[in-house]
Amino acid sequence: MGTVVDDGKKEAQQEALQEAQQEAHGSLADLNPTVVFVLGGPGSGKGTQCANIVEHFGFTHLSAGDLLRAEIKSGSENGTMISDMIKEGKIVPSEVTIKLLERAMLENGNDKFLIDGFPRNEENRAAFEDVAKIEPSFVLYFDCSEEEMERRLLGRNQGREDDNVETIRKRFKVFQESSLPVIEYYNSKGKVRKIDARRPIEEVYESVKAIFAPKDEKAD
């Protein structure tokens, strides 16, 4: 029985890939959106800065994690598959996440997007470019020391279960091992805009504004 179930999952994943490719080729490439990948370790402050960019520069902020959670909550067949994979400790296939991102972009009506927390690794990155047939305009990288990120995460009062030293350090390790190769890849193509995120929010935003403002002088 195990083999039949595994085969069924493989087929579902393959179908998700094919559907994602069809959707991408049919319309996302036609839309030719401006896509900015936003990367940074946990506690680097990227969420706060994304909100500023949305407010002042007209981008739409998409979080891969939020889209996956929303799909699970919807109770759709796709959401059930995602939920089952997470429960089994498996990584959700890149194609499934990309499909959700594409759908969100096409339904939104905007043509400027911040994609937050994606790609998480090189496999995500390669799959996005292969499926969507578009590349990011650039990568906005919030560079922050582990000491500062740890201080922020432990200091915030959000009641999150994962805000403890042991879990936080594991998340740092995952980010270092998985996301830094993505940053290095895009850096080799001259596409990384690195921000010193150790500074106060206002100072960080001044640096962010300098990156976006030349393209849109209407910013406040």
Side-chain angles (χ1 to χ4, degrees), residues 4-71:
V4 174
V5 173
D6 288 344
D7 287 347
K9 284 186 178 176
K10 282 179 186 172
E11 281 179 24
Q13 289 172 18
Q14 194 60 36
E15 283 173 15
L17 170 59
Q18 289 169 353
E19 198 174 328
Q21 287 174 330
Q22 285 164 6
E23 285 183 17
H25 297 171
S27 37
L28 195 62
D30 295 339
L31 178 65
N32 194 24
T34 297
V35 172
V36 175
F37 289 149
V38 183
L39 296 175
S44 61
K46 56 189 172 65
T48 301
Q49 298 302 331
C50 281
N52 283 330
I53 297 165
V54 167
E55 182 181 353
H56 297 295
F57 295 98
F59 276 73
T60 295
H61 178 204
L62 297 177
S63 159
D66 286 350
L67 289 172
L68 286 167
R69 285 185 283 273
E71 188 70 14

Side-chain angles (χ1 to χ4, degrees), residues 119-169:
R120 286 184 177 273
N121 53 45
E122 269 289 281
E123 196 267 332
N124 276 175
R125 177 201 65 73
F128 182 86
E129 293 185 6
D130 183 50
V131 172
K133 301 298 181 191
I134 56 172
E135 291 189 18
S137 297
F138 59 90
V139 175
L140 193 60
Y141 170 40
F142 290 94
D143 186 26
C144 195
S145 68
E146 288 193 15
E147 293 77 17
E148 176 61 18
M149 289 191 286
E150 187 175 305
R151 185 188 68 76
R152 291 176 183 177
L153 291 172
L154 292 173
R156 71 184 183 187
N157 187 22
Q158 294 184 345
R160 282 181 53 165
E161 291 178 11
D162 57 353
D163 284 352
N164 62 71
V165 172
E166 186 182 346
T167 309
I168 285 168
R169 287 180 181 167

Side-chain angles (χ1 to χ4, degrees), residues 27 109-110 192 215 219:
S27 37
N110 198 355
V192 172
K215 298 176 184 177

Side-chain angles (χ1 to χ4, degrees), residues 37-41 44 46 118-122 125 138-144 174-195:
F37 289 149
V38 183
L39 296 175
S44 61
K46 56 189 172 65
F118 183 93
R120 286 184 177 273
N121 53 45
E122 269 289 281
R125 177 201 65 73
F138 59 90
V139 175
L140 193 60
Y141 170 40
F142 290 94
D143 186 26
C144 195
V174 169
F175 176 77
Q176 289 279 344
E177 291 175 353
S178 301
S179 297
L180 284 184
V182 176
I183 293 162
E184 287 165 6
Y185 170 84
Y186 283 119
N187 194 43
S188 73
K189 300 186 80 171
K191 286 195 169 191
V192 172
R193 308 291 181 267
K194 187 160 84 168
I195 301 284

Side-chain angles (χ1 to χ4, degrees), residues 72-91:
I72 291 168
K73 199 173 178 181
S74 75
S76 70
E77 190 176 336
N78 200 34
T80 303
M81 181 187 81
I82 294 166
S83 179
D84 288 345
M85 295 195 76
I86 291 171
K87 283 175 188 170
E88 290 169 15
K90 295 181 180 177
I91 295 170

